[in-house]
């Protein structure tokens, strides 16, 4: 199993499943549920096309092949937006307001680490959707360092503390799957994450028993009813939806379809779930027709190999 490949392709497939139905309500999708890849739809894109979620994930992965550098990460995002680098078809067809504002600021000379908006309206899921490759760099570092790096990379486009914490929690789950040598039920991984993060003495003060992350860290999120799971662009909604989908599925296919059929921000929920599901189950479990139509599949696989080589060279240097 190549977990680098599983993660990157996992993100892209989940994203591509969601692109044609992005912004559709849960009720509208329920009338014709997503069961596989579609073409056109919301963004009028060919089948297998992924969006900014995957593109920025790949930009981060590319940056990490040369080592960890915040300014390089910011410049890679700038190159994507202005030079159409790591786009599926040579154009940017989907981008969030906070992400665009941050990249524009980077282009104007603002330091990448402070480019992301910090106001209360800047709690979107735009950093969570692209954060997964960071697990390959931080997995062997102490928890305080893992938190600090997650926060800094989130800040490039999303400076609000809730975005950083969401990225950190997501990466802690991903880390357990990256380090695992055997199949581990998601419920066990989730329970372990809740315990470790809740007991972490340096936990940011905004995370507490009555705070925004209470439902996630309670350990009870997997048991809630689907109707109480929201799938908007709000970062905590996306994190909750992703954890819930993973905990209520038993295969890659089931997890990503469950995510996309929640409606609303379908490509991002699909991408965030897809990355974790790829790590848990292996991308070979995805339907072959999904892989065969994925745009730039071989470029993604090449990137995964280069990232793997770079991270292993760093680890054994």
């Amino acid at each position: 199993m190549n977990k680098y490949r599983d993660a990157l392709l996992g993100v892209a497939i989940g994203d591509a499943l969601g692109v044609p139905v992005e912004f559709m309500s849960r009720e509208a999708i329920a009338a014709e549920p997503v069961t596989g890849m579609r073409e056109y739809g919301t963004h009028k894109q060919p089948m297998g096309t992924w969006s900014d979620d995957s593109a920025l994930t790949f930009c981060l992965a590319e940056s990490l092949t040369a080592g960890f550098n915040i300014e390089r990460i910011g410049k890679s995002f700038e190159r994507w937006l202005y030079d159409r680098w790591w786009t599926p078809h040579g154009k940017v067809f989907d981008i969030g307001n906070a992400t665009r504002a941050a990249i524009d600021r980077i282009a104007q000379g603002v330091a990448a680490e402070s480019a992301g908006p910090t106001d209360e309206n800047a709690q979107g899921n735009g950093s969570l959707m692209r954060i997964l490759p960071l697990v390959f760099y931080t997995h062997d570092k102490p928890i305080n360092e893992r938190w600090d790096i997650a926060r800094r990379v989130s800040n490039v486009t999303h400076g609000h503390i809730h975005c950083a914490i969401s990225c950190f929690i997501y990466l802690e789950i991903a880390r357990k799957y990256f380090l695992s040598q055997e199949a581990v039920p998601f419920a066990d991984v989730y329970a372990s994450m809740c315990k470790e993060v809740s007991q972490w003495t340096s936990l940011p003060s905004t995370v507490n028993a009555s705070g925004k992350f209470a439902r996630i860290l309670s350990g009870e999120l997997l048991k809630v009813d689907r109707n109480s799971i929201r799938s908007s662009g709000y970062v905590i909604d996306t994190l909750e939806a992703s954890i819930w989908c993973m905990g209520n599925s038993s295969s890659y296919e089931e997890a990503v379809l469950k995510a996309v059929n929640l409606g609303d921000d379908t490509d991002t929920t699909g991408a965030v779930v897809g990355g974790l599901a790829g790590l848990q189950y292996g991308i070979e479990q995805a339907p072959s027709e999904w892989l065969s139509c994925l745009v730039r599949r071989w470029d993604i696989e090449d990137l995964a190999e280069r990232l793997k080589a770079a991270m292993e060279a760093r680890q054994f240097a």
Side-chain angles (χ1 to χ4, degrees):
M1 177 181 279
N2 182 337
K3 294 188 179 182
Y4 296 82
R5 175 177 178 266
D6 294 334
L8 296 189
L9 288 175
V11 168
I13 289 174
D15 184 1
L17 285 165
V19 163
V21 293
E22 186 179 16
F23 308 132
M24 287 181 63
S25 69
R26 191 171 303 181
E27 293 72 26
I29 292 178
E32 189 179 352
V34 176
T35 59
M37 290 287 183
R38 295 182 181 180
E39 56 186 350
Y40 304 115
T42 301
H43 296 286
K44 299 178 173 59
Q45 296 296 313
M47 186 179 296
T49 299
W50 32 267
S51 71
D52 57 329
D53 304 64
S54 298
L56 292 176
T57 297
F58 302 149
C59 288
L60 175 57
E62 282 279 11
S63 298
L64 291 173
T65 64
F68 180 74
N69 182 286
I70 289 287
E71 288 303 313
R72 185 189 300 117
I73 293 169
K75 287 299 180 183
S76 75
F77 295 171
E78 182 183 340
R79 185 178 173 191
W80 164 73
L81 180 58
Y82 296 120
D83 299 333
R84 307 307 189 244
W85 184 57
W86 266 117
T87 55
H89 303 294
K91 62 180 179 180
V92 174
F93 64 86
D94 190 19
I95 181 173
N97 293 333
T99 297
R100 180 182 287 278
I103 296 174
D104 286 344
R105 294 185 71 198
I106 292 169
Q108 294 162 9
V110 173
E113 192 170 338
S114 56
T118 59
D119 60 275
E120 289 301 306
N121 293 322
Q123 297 185 55
N125 53 23
S127 61
L128 178 64
M129 72 185 192
R130 53 145 171 101
I131 205 71
L132 185 57
L134 200 59
V135 73
F136 302 123
Y137 178 76
T138 61
H139 69 88
D140 57 353
K141 300 184 182 302
I143 190 169
N144 283 6
E145 194 169 348
R146 297 199 299 271
W147 154 250
D148 186 61
I149 293 172
R151 176 188 59 80
R152 294 173 65 199
V153 176
S154 177
N155 285 355
V156 175
T157 57
H158 290 70
H160 197 283
I161 189 67
H162 289 165
C163 298
I165 296 168
S166 296
C167 287
F168 172 69
I169 289 173
Y170 180 72
L171 288 170
E172 289 299 290
I173 294 172
R175 176 176 179 265
K176 293 182 183 300
Y177 276 116
F178 179 64
L179 294 176
S180 174
Q181 299 300 314
E182 56 186 29
V184 182
F186 184 82
D188 293 348
V189 169
Y190 169 59
S192 177
M193 180 281 296
C194 290
K195 180 179 179 180
E196 291 176 13
V197 172
S198 297
Q199 292 179 350
W200 178 39
T201 57
S202 298
L203 192 70
S205 59
T206 53
V207 185
N208 53 58
S210 60
K212 297 287 187 179
F213 294 87
R215 188 159 80 154
I216 292 173
L217 295 178
S218 70
E220 300 297 316
L221 181 60
L222 307 186
K223 301 176 183 178
V224 305
D225 184 81
R226 181 176 184 265
N227 291 331
S228 72
I229 295 295
R230 297 174 291 275
S231 50
S232 74
Y234 174 45
V235 66
I236 296 178
D237 281 355
T238 303
L239 182 60
E240 287 193 349
S242 300
I243 292 171
W244 184 88
C245 288
M246 289 294 297
N248 286 280
S249 302
S250 57
S251 69
Y252 178 89
E253 181 176 0
E254 182 182 9
V256 292
L257 289 178
K258 192 157 285 186
V260 169
N261 282 298
L262 288 175
D264 297 321
D265 201 358
T266 51
D267 58 338
T268 299
T269 310
V272 174
V273 170
L276 282 184
L279 284 173
Q280 180 178 4
Y281 298 108
I283 206 62
E284 289 80 6
Q285 196 185 95
S288 59
E289 60 269 26
W290 294 4
L291 274 169
S292 64
C293 75
L294 190 67
V295 174
R296 298 188 65 178
R297 172 189 172 182
W298 302 115
D299 290 334
I300 300 167
E301 295 214 22
D302 175 71
L303 172 58
E305 290 299 329
R306 290 186 286 111
L307 180 61
K308 182 176 186 287
M311 294 297 100
E312 290 182 350
R314 176 188 66 87
Q315 181 179 357
F316 298 112

mmCIF file of all heavy atoms in Angstrom, residues 97-116:
data_model
loop_
_atom_site.group_PDB
_atom_site.id
_atom_site.type_symbol
_atom_site.label_atom_id
_atom_site.label_comp_id
_atom_site.label_asym_id
_atom_site.label_seq_id
_atom_site.Cartn_x
_atom_site.Cartn_y
_atom_site.Cartn_z
ATOM 1 N N ASN A 97 -13.832 32.836 -1.421
ATOM 2 C CA ASN A 97 -13.502 34.253 -1.248
ATOM 3 C C ASN A 97 -12.274 34.463 -0.365
ATOM 4 O O ASN A 97 -11.418 35.293 -0.666
ATOM 5 C CB ASN A 97 -14.706 34.997 -0.658
ATOM 6 C CG ASN A 97 -15.867 35.067 -1.612
ATOM 7 O OD1 ASN A 97 -15.692 35.026 -2.832
ATOM 8 N ND2 ASN A 97 -17.080 35.167 -1.087
ATOM 9 N N ALA A 98 -12.195 33.738 0.749
ATOM 10 C CA ALA A 98 -11.067 33.911 1.658
ATOM 11 C C ALA A 98 -9.768 33.474 0.996
ATOM 12 O O ALA A 98 -8.718 34.122 1.155
ATOM 13 C CB ALA A 98 -11.295 33.131 2.950
ATOM 14 N N THR A 99 -9.833 32.379 0.240
ATOM 15 C CA THR A 99 -8.638 31.886 -0.447
ATOM 16 C C THR A 99 -8.158 32.894 -1.481
ATOM 17 O O THR A 99 -6.957 33.197 -1.566
ATOM 18 C CB THR A 99 -8.919 30.530 -1.112
ATOM 19 O OG1 THR A 99 -9.248 29.574 -0.099
ATOM 20 C CG2 THR A 99 -7.721 30.039 -1.897
ATOM 21 N N ARG A 100 -9.069 33.436 -2.265
ATOM 22 C CA ARG A 100 -8.683 34.428 -3.269
ATOM 23 C C ARG A 100 -8.086 35.667 -2.607
ATOM 24 O O ARG A 100 -7.057 36.187 -3.051
ATOM 25 C CB ARG A 100 -9.879 34.826 -4.131
ATOM 26 C CG ARG A 100 -9.516 35.866 -5.194
ATOM 27 C CD ARG A 100 -10.715 36.281 -6.013
ATOM 28 N NE ARG A 100 -11.143 35.250 -6.935
ATOM 29 C CZ ARG A 100 -10.574 35.031 -8.128
ATOM 30 N NH1 ARG A 100 -9.532 35.767 -8.510
ATOM 31 N NH2 ARG A 100 -11.037 34.094 -8.912
ATOM 32 N N ALA A 101 -8.726 36.137 -1.541
ATOM 33 C CA ALA A 101 -8.222 37.332 -0.857
ATOM 34 C C ALA A 101 -6.817 37.096 -0.318
ATOM 35 O O ALA A 101 -5.938 37.971 -0.426
ATOM 36 C CB ALA A 101 -9.172 37.714 0.276
ATOM 37 N N ALA A 102 -6.592 35.922 0.244
ATOM 38 C CA ALA A 102 -5.275 35.612 0.806
ATOM 39 C C ALA A 102 -4.212 35.534 -0.284
ATOM 40 O O ALA A 102 -3.110 36.078 -0.134
ATOM 41 C CB ALA A 102 -5.336 34.299 1.579
ATOM 42 N N ILE A 103 -4.527 34.868 -1.386
ATOM 43 C CA ILE A 103 -3.545 34.736 -2.466
ATOM 44 C C ILE A 103 -3.255 36.092 -3.092
ATOM 45 O O ILE A 103 -2.102 36.405 -3.442
ATOM 46 C CB ILE A 103 -4.033 33.720 -3.516
ATOM 47 C CG1 ILE A 103 -4.127 32.323 -2.885
ATOM 48 C CG2 ILE A 103 -3.095 33.692 -4.716
ATOM 49 C CD1 ILE A 103 -4.727 31.268 -3.797
ATOM 50 N N ASP A 104 -4.271 36.924 -3.225
ATOM 51 C CA ASP A 104 -4.045 38.284 -3.725
ATOM 52 C C ASP A 104 -3.097 39.042 -2.806
ATOM 53 O O ASP A 104 -2.218 39.797 -3.270
ATOM 54 C CB ASP A 104 -5.370 39.039 -3.838
ATOM 55 C CG ASP A 104 -6.225 38.584 -5.019
ATOM 56 O OD1 ASP A 104 -5.670 37.909 -5.921
ATOM 57 O OD2 ASP A 104 -7.428 38.895 -5.042
ATOM 58 N N ARG A 105 -3.237 38.858 -1.518
ATOM 59 C CA ARG A 105 -2.352 39.529 -0.560
ATOM 60 C C ARG A 105 -0.924 39.014 -0.677
ATOM 61 O O ARG A 105 0.044 39.788 -0.593
ATOM 62 C CB ARG A 105 -2.866 39.328 0.866
ATOM 63 C CG ARG A 105 -4.213 39.994 1.160
ATOM 64 C CD ARG A 105 -4.574 39.855 2.624
ATOM 65 N NE ARG A 105 -3.719 40.699 3.444
ATOM 66 C CZ ARG A 105 -3.549 40.547 4.759
ATOM 67 N NH1 ARG A 105 -4.140 39.537 5.377
ATOM 68 N NH2 ARG A 105 -2.774 41.355 5.430
ATOM 69 N N ILE A 106 -0.771 37.726 -0.874
ATOM 70 C CA ILE A 106 0.565 37.156 -1.068
ATOM 71 C C ILE A 106 1.211 37.769 -2.308
ATOM 72 O O ILE A 106 2.395 38.145 -2.302
ATOM 73 C CB ILE A 106 0.488 35.627 -1.184
ATOM 74 C CG1 ILE A 106 0.077 35.016 0.163
ATOM 75 C CG2 ILE A 106 1.832 35.040 -1.642
ATOM 76 C CD1 ILE A 106 -0.276 33.537 0.078
ATOM 77 N N ALA A 107 0.432 37.893 -3.383
ATOM 78 C CA ALA A 107 0.948 38.473 -4.622
ATOM 79 C C ALA A 107 1.370 39.926 -4.431
ATOM 80 O O ALA A 107 2.266 40.430 -5.123
ATOM 81 C CB ALA A 107 -0.109 38.373 -5.721
ATOM 82 N N GLN A 108 0.744 40.592 -3.465
ATOM 83 C CA GLN A 108 1.070 41.995 -3.181
ATOM 84 C C GLN A 108 2.235 42.137 -2.215
ATOM 85 O O GLN A 108 2.628 43.256 -1.870
ATOM 86 C CB GLN A 108 -0.166 42.697 -2.617
ATOM 87 C CG GLN A 108 -1.314 42.823 -3.617
ATOM 88 C CD GLN A 108 -2.661 43.102 -2.959
ATOM 89 O OE1 GLN A 108 -2.733 43.364 -1.758
ATOM 90 N NE2 GLN A 108 -3.725 43.028 -3.746
ATOM 91 N N GLY A 109 2.790 41.004 -1.757
ATOM 92 C CA GLY A 109 3.976 41.046 -0.910
ATOM 93 C C GLY A 109 3.754 40.745 0.550
ATOM 94 O O GLY A 109 4.703 40.793 1.343
ATOM 95 N N VAL A 110 2.527 40.432 0.949
ATOM 96 C CA VAL A 110 2.254 40.078 2.345
ATOM 97 C C VAL A 110 2.868 38.709 2.634
ATOM 98 O O VAL A 110 2.824 37.804 1.803
ATOM 99 C CB VAL A 110 0.737 40.055 2.613
ATOM 100 C CG1 VAL A 110 0.434 39.528 4.014
ATOM 101 C CG2 VAL A 110 0.139 41.438 2.410
ATOM 102 N N ALA A 111 3.454 38.549 3.809
ATOM 103 C CA ALA A 111 4.034 37.267 4.198
ATOM 104 C C ALA A 111 2.959 36.189 4.183
ATOM 105 O O ALA A 111 1.845 36.402 4.681
ATOM 106 C CB ALA A 111 4.652 37.366 5.586
ATOM 107 N N ALA A 112 3.280 35.043 3.627
ATOM 108 C CA ALA A 112 2.287 33.980 3.457
ATOM 109 C C ALA A 112 1.641 33.566 4.772
ATOM 110 O O ALA A 112 0.437 33.319 4.835
ATOM 111 C CB ALA A 112 2.927 32.767 2.783
ATOM 112 N N GLU A 113 2.419 33.517 5.829
ATOM 113 C CA GLU A 113 1.903 33.027 7.108
ATOM 114 C C GLU A 113 0.851 33.951 7.714
ATOM 115 O O GLU A 113 0.073 33.539 8.573
ATOM 116 C CB GLU A 113 3.052 32.828 8.095
ATOM 117 C CG GLU A 113 2.653 32.061 9.327
ATOM 118 C CD GLU A 113 3.847 31.655 10.180
ATOM 119 O OE1 GLU A 113 4.969 31.593 9.645
ATOM 120 O OE2 GLU A 113 3.638 31.382 11.383
ATOM 121 N N SER A 114 0.804 35.186 7.272
ATOM 122 C CA SER A 114 -0.185 36.129 7.807
ATOM 123 C C SER A 114 -1.167 36.593 6.736
ATOM 124 O O SER A 114 -1.859 37.594 6.917
ATOM 125 C CB SER A 114 0.515 37.330 8.436
ATOM 126 O OG SER A 114 1.372 37.967 7.503
ATOM 127 N N ALA A 115 -1.246 35.871 5.623
ATOM 128 C CA ALA A 115 -2.100 36.301 4.512
ATOM 129 C C ALA A 115 -3.569 35.973 4.722
ATOM 130 O O ALA A 115 -4.447 36.686 4.239
ATOM 131 C CB ALA A 115 -1.619 35.665 3.211
ATOM 132 N N GLY A 116 -3.860 34.894 5.435
ATOM 133 C CA GLY A 116 -5.245 34.463 5.586
ATOM 134 C C GLY A 116 -6.061 35.388 6.465
ATOM 135 O O GLY A 116 -5.600 35.817 7.533
#
